[in-house]
Amino acid sequence: AQSVTQLGSHVSVSEGALVLLRCNYSSSVPPYLFWYVQYPNQGLQLLLKYTTGATLVKGINGFEAEFKKSETSFHLTKPSAHMSDAAEYFCAVSDAGKYGGSQGNLIFGKGTKLSVKP
Amino acid sequence: DVKVTQSSRYLVKRTGEKVFLECVQDMDHENMFWYRQDPGLGLRLIYFSYDVKMKEKGDIPEGYSVSREKKERFSLILESASTNQTSMYLCASSLLQGALNYGYTFGSGTRLTVV
């Protein structure tokens, strides 16, 4: 069965420092991978996704993630943290789906709360 | 942009009450989902639906039911609310064909407190 592990429930960085949020997955089918961001008291917003093709994916707000099949990882990075990046981040992987292909459901990790210190 | 609208941001209900959480999307999406979100547990799928009048159980359906009478509306029902159902509830929708090419669109959430 598909699963997602996010290493670290809380990550704290200083403003201007590198942001690295870790995500490892297991999947019996070629995975679709997603990162979502949730600001306080809001729903989840799509940050970026990997479906096929280029393994380095760029998203909104300067974030990017690299799909590494050999490491079953999809870590999220941003070169320089900003105070507005403080939020909770969720990694998600597709399951095999009832109909297969691109019709599966998403399985979410438990989330990583990012704090940014001035 | 797809809009997923949840009718209430905050709700306070009493134990034993029947509670309805409403979700409406405006982009003709086939798939709709209900999740609950709790600290340290992430998002857990309660129910989902691929079509009108169709529903499938997720990981934690106990104590919940759903209704999908129209394509754009997916309701979550707590038949007899209990304090352990105090949580943030998130609704989401997606296309059926190529759902994973686009991901899900989420509503803003309903924070339910059962007292």
Side-chain angles (χ1 to χ4, degrees):
Chain A
Q2 282 74 13
S3 67
V4 177
T5 302
Q6 291 185 239
L7 265 173
S9 57
H10 287 87
V11 170
S12 182
V13 301
S14 297
E15 195 171 18
L18 171 72
V19 175
L20 171 61
L21 304 182
R22 298 178 188 276
C23 173
N24 288 91
Y25 70 91
S26 69
S27 178
S28 57
V29 298
Y32 291 71
L33 294 157
F34 300 79
W35 276 99
Y36 283 83
V37 59
Q38 184 182 34
Y39 298 103
N41 296 313
Q42 294 187 24
L44 275 68
Q45 177 184 354
L46 181 63
L47 204 53
L48 50 78
K49 63 182 185 288
Y50 169 79
T51 54
T52 58
T55 56
L56 182 62
V57 179
K58 294 187 186 299
I60 61 172
N61 301 337
F63 284 93
E64 61 183 37
E66 187 170 11
F67 169 56
K68 291 188 176 180
K69 186 177 178 181
S70 61
E71 298 177 8
T72 60
S73 69
F74 191 57
H75 301 331
L76 182 70
T77 60
K78 182 174 180 178
S80 177
H82 192 271
M83 297 295 290
S84 61
D85 295 326
E88 190 159 19
Y89 292 80
F90 291 90
C91 182
V93 66
S94 55
D95 70 9
K98 182 175 182 177
Y99 306 105
S102 64
Q103 296 177 8
N105 290 341
L106 291 185
I107 297 167
F108 289 86
K110 292 188 180 347
T112 298
K113 196 162 285 189
L114 176 67
S115 302
V116 182
K117 298 174 290 188
Chain B
D1 280 353
V2 178
K3 289 285 192 298
V4 177
T5 303
Q6 295 184 230
S7 54
S8 304
R9 292 298 302 274
Y10 300 94
L11 273 180
V12 180
K13 296 292 181 181
R14 294 193 179 279
T15 301
E17 274 193 79
K18 190 169 186 175
V19 180
F20 293 84
L21 303 184
E22 305 288 346
C23 176
V24 176
Q25 50 92 5
D26 66 359
M27 278 296 287
D28 207 33
H29 280 180
E30 293 87 357
N31 294 345
M32 295 190 76
F33 307 84
W34 275 106
Y35 290 88
R36 66 176 281 176
Q37 181 181 12
D38 301 287
L41 297 178
L43 277 70
R44 293 180 291 168
L45 181 63
I46 306 171
Y47 268 97
F48 60 101
S49 169
Y50 288 123
D51 202 353
V52 176
K53 296 193 187 294
M54 176 274 174
K55 61 185 178 184
E56 293 205 22
K57 292 180 180 179
D59 300 318
I60 53 163
E62 296 79 18
Y64 303 94
S65 62
V66 290
S67 172
R68 191 156 182 209
E69 296 295 319
K70 293 185 178 181
K71 190 175 186 179
E72 66 271 17
R73 185 180 295 270
F74 192 35
S75 302
L76 180 70
I77 303 156
L78 286 66
E79 296 291 342
S80 177
S82 64
T83 54
N84 63 13
Q85 292 177 310
T86 292
S87 186
M88 169 74 102
Y89 290 87
L90 292 166
C91 176
S93 73
S94 73
L95 291 168
L96 177 63
Q97 296 294 333
L100 297 178
N101 289 323
Y102 302 100
Y104 296 177
T105 300
F106 282 84
S108 298
T110 295
R111 189 167 293 281
L112 173 67
T113 303
V114 182
V115 298

